[in-house]
Short mmCIF file of all heavy atoms in Angstrom, two decimals:
data_model
loop_
_atom_site.label_atom_id
_atom_site.label_comp_id
_atom_site.label_asym_id
_atom_site.label_seq_id
_atom_site.Cartn_x
_atom_site.Cartn_y
_atom_site.Cartn_z
N LEU A 111 -0.38 0.65 5.74
CA LEU A 111 -1.45 0.09 6.54
C LEU A 111 -0.85 -0.28 7.89
O LEU A 111 0.18 -0.96 7.94
CB LEU A 111 -2.00 -1.18 5.89
CG LEU A 111 -2.58 -1.07 4.49
CD1 LEU A 111 -2.99 -2.45 3.99
CD2 LEU A 111 -3.75 -0.12 4.46
N ASP A 112 -1.42 0.18 8.97
CA ASP A 112 -0.96 -0.19 10.31
C ASP A 112 -1.80 -1.37 10.77
O ASP A 112 -2.85 -1.22 11.38
CB ASP A 112 -1.09 0.98 11.28
CG ASP A 112 -0.48 0.67 12.64
OD1 ASP A 112 -0.22 -0.52 12.93
OD2 ASP A 112 -0.28 1.62 13.42
N VAL A 113 -1.32 -2.58 10.45
CA VAL A 113 -2.11 -3.78 10.71
C VAL A 113 -2.16 -4.14 12.19
O VAL A 113 -2.97 -4.97 12.58
CB VAL A 113 -1.60 -4.97 9.87
CG1 VAL A 113 -1.71 -4.67 8.38
CG2 VAL A 113 -0.18 -5.35 10.24
N SER A 114 -1.37 -3.47 13.02
CA SER A 114 -1.44 -3.72 14.46
C SER A 114 -2.68 -3.07 15.07
O SER A 114 -3.03 -3.35 16.21
CB SER A 114 -0.18 -3.20 15.16
OG SER A 114 -0.15 -1.78 15.16
N ARG A 115 -3.33 -2.21 14.31
CA ARG A 115 -4.50 -1.49 14.81
C ARG A 115 -5.78 -1.90 14.06
O ARG A 115 -6.70 -1.12 13.88
CB ARG A 115 -4.26 0.01 14.70
CG ARG A 115 -3.11 0.41 15.63
CD ARG A 115 -2.50 1.75 15.40
NE ARG A 115 -3.42 2.83 15.17
CZ ARG A 115 -3.03 4.04 14.80
NH1 ARG A 115 -1.76 4.31 14.64
NH2 ARG A 115 -3.91 4.99 14.59
N MET A 116 -5.82 -3.16 13.65
CA MET A 116 -6.96 -3.70 12.92
C MET A 116 -8.18 -3.80 13.84
O MET A 116 -8.09 -4.33 14.93
CB MET A 116 -6.62 -5.08 12.36
CG MET A 116 -7.62 -5.64 11.39
SD MET A 116 -7.50 -4.94 9.73
CE MET A 116 -5.96 -5.60 9.15
N GLN A 117 -9.30 -3.24 13.38
CA GLN A 117 -10.57 -3.37 14.08
C GLN A 117 -11.66 -3.56 13.04
O GLN A 117 -11.76 -2.78 12.09
CB GLN A 117 -10.87 -2.12 14.90
CG GLN A 117 -9.95 -1.93 16.08
CD GLN A 117 -10.37 -0.73 16.91
OE1 GLN A 117 -11.30 -0.01 16.60
NE2 GLN A 117 -9.66 -0.52 18.00
N HIS A 118 -12.47 -4.58 13.23
CA HIS A 118 -13.57 -4.88 12.31
C HIS A 118 -13.07 -5.00 10.87
O HIS A 118 -13.66 -4.46 9.94
CB HIS A 118 -14.67 -3.82 12.41
CG HIS A 118 -15.13 -3.58 13.81
ND1 HIS A 118 -15.83 -4.51 14.53
CD2 HIS A 118 -14.94 -2.52 14.63
CE1 HIS A 118 -16.08 -4.03 15.73
NE2 HIS A 118 -15.55 -2.82 15.82
N GLN A 119 -11.94 -5.65 10.71
CA GLN A 119 -11.31 -5.92 9.40
C GLN A 119 -10.82 -4.66 8.69
O GLN A 119 -10.59 -4.69 7.48
CB GLN A 119 -12.24 -6.71 8.50
CG GLN A 119 -12.58 -8.08 9.04
CD GLN A 119 -13.40 -8.88 8.06
OE1 GLN A 119 -14.28 -8.36 7.37
NE2 GLN A 119 -13.11 -10.16 7.97
N GLU A 120 -10.65 -3.58 9.40
CA GLU A 120 -10.09 -2.35 8.82
C GLU A 120 -8.97 -1.83 9.71
O GLU A 120 -8.99 -2.06 10.93
CB GLU A 120 -11.16 -1.27 8.65
CG GLU A 120 -12.21 -1.61 7.62
CD GLU A 120 -11.67 -1.79 6.21
OE1 GLU A 120 -10.61 -1.21 5.87
OE2 GLU A 120 -12.30 -2.51 5.42
N CYS A 121 -8.02 -1.15 9.11
CA CYS A 121 -6.93 -0.54 9.87
C CYS A 121 -6.63 0.83 9.27
O CYS A 121 -6.94 1.10 8.11
CB CYS A 121 -5.69 -1.43 9.85
SG CYS A 121 -5.00 -1.72 8.21
N PRO A 122 -6.00 1.69 10.05
CA PRO A 122 -5.72 3.03 9.53
C PRO A 122 -4.57 3.03 8.53
O PRO A 122 -3.70 2.16 8.55
CB PRO A 122 -5.35 3.83 10.78
CG PRO A 122 -4.85 2.81 11.74
CD PRO A 122 -5.62 1.55 11.45
N VAL A 123 -4.60 4.01 7.65
CA VAL A 123 -3.45 4.31 6.80
C VAL A 123 -2.65 5.36 7.56
O VAL A 123 -3.20 6.35 8.04
CB VAL A 123 -3.88 4.86 5.42
CG1 VAL A 123 -2.66 5.29 4.62
CG2 VAL A 123 -4.68 3.82 4.67
N VAL A 124 -1.37 5.11 7.72
CA VAL A 124 -0.51 6.01 8.47
C VAL A 124 0.64 6.48 7.60
O VAL A 124 0.98 5.85 6.59
CB VAL A 124 0.03 5.33 9.75
CG1 VAL A 124 -1.11 4.98 10.71
CG2 VAL A 124 0.84 4.10 9.42
N PHE A 125 1.23 7.60 7.97
CA PHE A 125 2.39 8.14 7.27
C PHE A 125 3.62 7.83 8.09
O PHE A 125 3.73 8.23 9.24
CB PHE A 125 2.25 9.65 7.09
CG PHE A 125 3.39 10.28 6.34
CD1 PHE A 125 3.51 10.11 4.97
CD2 PHE A 125 4.33 11.04 7.01
CE1 PHE A 125 4.56 10.68 4.27
CE2 PHE A 125 5.38 11.62 6.31
CZ PHE A 125 5.50 11.44 4.94
N TRP A 126 4.57 7.08 7.51
CA TRP A 126 5.80 6.72 8.20
C TRP A 126 6.91 7.62 7.67
O TRP A 126 7.24 7.61 6.49
CB TRP A 126 6.13 5.25 7.95
CG TRP A 126 7.40 4.82 8.60
CD1 TRP A 126 7.60 4.59 9.93
CD2 TRP A 126 8.65 4.57 7.95
NE1 TRP A 126 8.90 4.22 10.14
CE2 TRP A 126 9.56 4.20 8.95
CE3 TRP A 126 9.08 4.63 6.63
CZ2 TRP A 126 10.89 3.87 8.67
CZ3 TRP A 126 10.39 4.31 6.34
CH2 TRP A 126 11.28 3.94 7.35
N ASP A 127 7.46 8.42 8.57
CA ASP A 127 8.55 9.35 8.24
C ASP A 127 9.87 8.67 8.58
O ASP A 127 10.15 8.38 9.74
CB ASP A 127 8.38 10.64 9.06
CG ASP A 127 9.44 11.68 8.75
OD1 ASP A 127 10.51 11.34 8.20
OD2 ASP A 127 9.20 12.84 9.07
N HIS A 128 10.67 8.41 7.55
CA HIS A 128 11.92 7.67 7.76
C HIS A 128 12.94 8.44 8.60
O HIS A 128 13.89 7.86 9.10
CB HIS A 128 12.54 7.28 6.42
CG HIS A 128 13.23 8.39 5.71
ND1 HIS A 128 12.53 9.36 5.02
CD2 HIS A 128 14.52 8.70 5.60
CE1 HIS A 128 13.39 10.22 4.50
NE2 HIS A 128 14.60 9.84 4.84
N GLU A 129 12.75 9.73 8.79
CA GLU A 129 13.70 10.50 9.58
C GLU A 129 13.29 10.64 11.04
O GLU A 129 14.12 10.98 11.89
CB GLU A 129 13.89 11.89 8.97
CG GLU A 129 14.59 11.83 7.63
CD GLU A 129 14.76 13.19 6.99
OE1 GLU A 129 14.22 14.18 7.51
OE2 GLU A 129 15.45 13.25 5.96
N SER A 130 12.03 10.38 11.36
CA SER A 130 11.59 10.58 12.74
C SER A 130 11.98 9.42 13.65
O SER A 130 12.15 9.60 14.84
CB SER A 130 10.08 10.79 12.81
OG SER A 130 9.41 9.57 12.59
N PHE A 131 12.13 8.22 13.08
CA PHE A 131 12.49 7.01 13.82
C PHE A 131 11.52 6.67 14.94
O PHE A 131 11.77 5.77 15.71
CB PHE A 131 13.89 7.12 14.45
CG PHE A 131 14.97 7.46 13.47
CD1 PHE A 131 15.68 8.63 13.62
CD2 PHE A 131 15.26 6.64 12.41
CE1 PHE A 131 16.68 8.95 12.73
CE2 PHE A 131 16.25 6.96 11.51
CZ PHE A 131 16.96 8.13 11.68
N GLU A 132 10.43 7.39 15.10
CA GLU A 132 9.61 7.15 16.27
C GLU A 132 8.17 6.79 15.94
O GLU A 132 7.32 6.84 16.79
CB GLU A 132 9.65 8.33 17.21
CG GLU A 132 9.46 9.66 16.53
CD GLU A 132 9.63 10.83 17.47
OE1 GLU A 132 10.72 11.05 17.99
OE2 GLU A 132 8.62 11.52 17.66
N GLY A 133 7.90 6.43 14.76
CA GLY A 133 6.54 5.99 14.52
C GLY A 133 5.88 6.69 13.38
O GLY A 133 6.52 7.15 12.44
N VAL A 134 4.58 6.83 13.49
CA VAL A 134 3.78 7.23 12.36
C VAL A 134 2.70 8.21 12.78
O VAL A 134 2.35 8.31 13.95
CB VAL A 134 3.14 6.00 11.71
CG1 VAL A 134 4.17 5.06 11.15
CG2 VAL A 134 2.26 5.26 12.69
N ASP A 135 2.18 8.91 11.82
CA ASP A 135 1.04 9.79 12.02
C ASP A 135 -0.13 9.22 11.23
O ASP A 135 0.02 8.90 10.05
CB ASP A 135 1.34 11.20 11.51
CG ASP A 135 2.46 11.86 12.28
OD1 ASP A 135 2.48 11.73 13.53
OD2 ASP A 135 3.33 12.49 11.66
N GLN A 136 -1.27 9.10 11.87
CA GLN A 136 -2.45 8.57 11.19
C GLN A 136 -2.97 9.58 10.19
O GLN A 136 -3.03 10.77 10.45
CB GLN A 136 -3.54 8.22 12.19
CG GLN A 136 -4.73 7.56 11.53
CD GLN A 136 -5.69 6.96 12.53
OE1 GLN A 136 -5.31 6.65 13.65
NE2 GLN A 136 -6.92 6.79 12.13
N ILE A 137 -3.37 9.10 9.02
CA ILE A 137 -3.95 9.93 7.99
C ILE A 137 -5.43 10.08 8.31
O ILE A 137 -6.12 9.10 8.54
CB ILE A 137 -3.78 9.28 6.59
CG1 ILE A 137 -2.32 8.94 6.32
CG2 ILE A 137 -4.36 10.16 5.51
CD1 ILE A 137 -1.37 10.10 6.38
N PRO A 138 -5.93 11.32 8.32
CA PRO A 138 -7.36 11.50 8.64
C PRO A 138 -8.27 10.88 7.60
O PRO A 138 -7.94 10.70 6.49
CB PRO A 138 -7.55 13.01 8.68
CG PRO A 138 -6.28 13.62 8.23
CD PRO A 138 -5.26 12.55 8.07
#
Side-chain angles (χ1 to χ4, degrees):
L111 301 176
D112 186 345
V113 300
S114 70
R115 295 165 44 188
M116 190 78 69
Q117 291 184 358
H118 309 291
Q119 297 185 321
E120 293 299 334
C121 62
V123 175
V124 297
F125 181 74
W126 179 74
D127 182 341
H128 77 282
E129 292 179 353
S130 74
F131 305 118
E132 47 185 65
V134 297
D135 296 318
Q136 185 168 337
I137 306 302

